[in-house]
Amino acid sequence: MDLNYLFYRQQMSLLRARCASSPESRAAHEGLARGYTEQILAYRNHNRRLILAERENA
């Protein structure tokens, strides 16, 4: 997974939400941004668990 891609998509979604012409469009883009945020956090948490497991096994 490419974190840079996820961060880019998250920021673009936030920008599109900010410039949205309707409440529905704004909500849709904010939802996408939240989804990208969740993916970023899941990736980070997964990597933290791997690092902690490696330290315990070392």
Side-chain angles (χ1 to χ4, degrees), residues 2-21:
D2 185 0
L3 275 181
N4 287 324
Y5 173 78
L6 293 175
F7 280 118
Y8 171 76
R9 296 303 308 164
Q10 176 197 42
Q11 291 302 304
M12 292 306 296
S13 294
L14 291 171
L15 287 171
R16 288 184 175 131
R18 187 180 217 182
C19 297
S21 58

Side-chain angles (χ1 to χ4, degrees), residues 1 6 13 16 19 23 28-30 32 35 42-43 46-48 53-55 57:
M1 179 181 307
L6 293 175
S13 294
R16 288 184 175 131
C19 297
H29 290 294
E30 288 172 346
L32 288 169
Y43 181 83
H46 176 74
N47 282 344
R48 280 193 195 114
E54 286 177 3
R55 287 181 185 167
N57 294 329

